[in-house]
Amino acid sequence: MLILVGLGNPGAKYASNRHNIGFMAADVIHTRHRFPAWRKNFQAEVSEGVIDGERVLLMKPQTYMNESGRSVGEAVRFLKLAPSDVVVIHDELDLPPGKLRMKVGGGHGGHNGLRSITSQITDGYRRMRLGIGHPGDKALVHAHVLSDFAKADRDWLVRLLDAIADNAGELVKGADATFANRVHAVTEPKPERKPKADAKTDGGPAALAAAAPAEPPPKNAMAAILKSLLAQKTKR
């Protein structure tokens, strides 16, 4: 069994904060893989389902970020799992917005959620680090992580969360490098090569049609989840 833990702070006040990108990723995985309704257990919202034939427990600790370890530790001990059976999804200041990196072990880098989890289950768990960028000044970090994503962030954020959900099967296999590469291929696709101009083209209707931009791809259904989260700040 694998535990996928999305980190964040509970409540509408924090729902669209940068610090809550882990909760957002858990929500998209939950919807994409048709997990049952969230329920309360282990001081968290949890939902158990199957991804590519493997049992997965999705968790969103409700202890607030700084005490996330109490929730994760309780689940790990009850289910008799090893730290390596846990993937923690969290925001990462030291990565540019939209970047994803996988990591096993290591320090907490000042992230209080990771610090709390390490204190409960050691640092041997897997981390999915989701870049939110650094404000450039240490004094601004607190306000940065607890502020909402901007409208300009929505395109890359939806693309990133969709790619995570689409490729979650690689996570349950333990293929972290493959998972990261596949997400990267979606979030940072290589630019298409432009076809060379044909000297025989007369510039007629056929040439104009070929040069016309392609229709934009249909809007992804997962954008609805993000839209709902980001809309909450207008209701507060």
Side-chain angles (χ1 to χ4, degrees):
M1 185 177 198
L2 179 72
I3 299 180
L4 277 177
V5 185
L7 294 189
N9 287 308
K13 176 181 178 181
Y14 303 102
S16 54
N17 285 180
R18 292 178 174 88
H19 219 21
N20 272 43
I21 194 171
F23 273 14
M24 296 177 190
D27 282 332
V28 177
I29 292 170
H30 179 273
T31 300
R32 175 62 55 85
H33 294 277
R34 302 179 183 275
F35 274 51
W38 295 101
R39 58 187 176 86
K40 302 290 186 181
N41 201 3
F42 307 126
Q43 304 178 67
E45 288 189 354
V46 301
S47 180
E48 185 177 336
V50 176
I51 299 177
D52 281 13
E54 297 291 336
R55 289 172 61 210
V56 174
L57 181 70
L58 279 174
M59 292 185 66
K60 295 190 295 182
Q62 300 296 291
T63 54
Y64 288 95
M65 182 71 80
N66 293 4
E67 299 291 338
S68 299
R70 292 196 287 116
S71 173
V72 176
E74 184 178 334
V76 167
R77 288 187 290 272
F78 180 83
L79 297 169
K80 296 180 172 58
L81 299 176
S84 58
D85 297 318
V86 178
V87 177
V88 176
I89 310 171
H90 66 93
D91 58 304
E92 178 57 71
L93 284 164
D94 293 332
L95 288 176
K99 295 284 188 179
L100 177 149
R101 295 289 185 273
M102 296 298 298
K103 180 181 179 181
V104 178
H108 52 71
H111 194 291
N112 289 329
L114 299 184
R115 178 187 283 113
S116 178
I117 292 171
T118 296
S119 73
Q120 292 285 329
I121 66 170
T122 79
D123 68 351
Y125 54 93
R126 297 153 62 193
R127 300 111 185 266
M128 187 192 303
R129 306 161 62 212
L130 305 182
I132 60 168
H134 197 287
D137 185 334
K138 187 176 181 180
L140 301 177
V141 165
H142 183 76
H144 178 69
V145 300
L146 292 180
S147 63
D148 292 346
F149 281 109
K151 288 183 179 180
D153 296 318
R154 294 185 184 185
D155 285 345
W156 69 255
L157 188 53
V158 170
R159 194 160 56 245
L160 175 65
L161 298 181
D162 276 327
I164 289 169
D166 286 342
N167 295 286
E170 299 303 326
L171 284 178
V172 302
K173 297 175 188 173
D176 289 358
T178 301
F179 167 77
N181 287 338
R182 290 187 177 181
V183 171
H184 181 79
V186 173
T187 57
E188 296 187 32
K190 293 181 179 179
E192 294 183 4
R193 293 182 179 178
K194 293 182 179 180
K196 294 181 179 180
D198 189 341
K200 297 180 180 179
T201 300
D202 60 5
L208 293 175
E215 288 294 320
K219 186 176 181 181
N220 198 301
M222 288 299 103
I225 292 176
L226 180 59
K227 182 178 180 181
S228 174
L229 287 169
L230 297 178
Q232 291 189 42
K233 71 174 182 180
T234 64
K235 298 179 182 179
R236 298 202 292 271

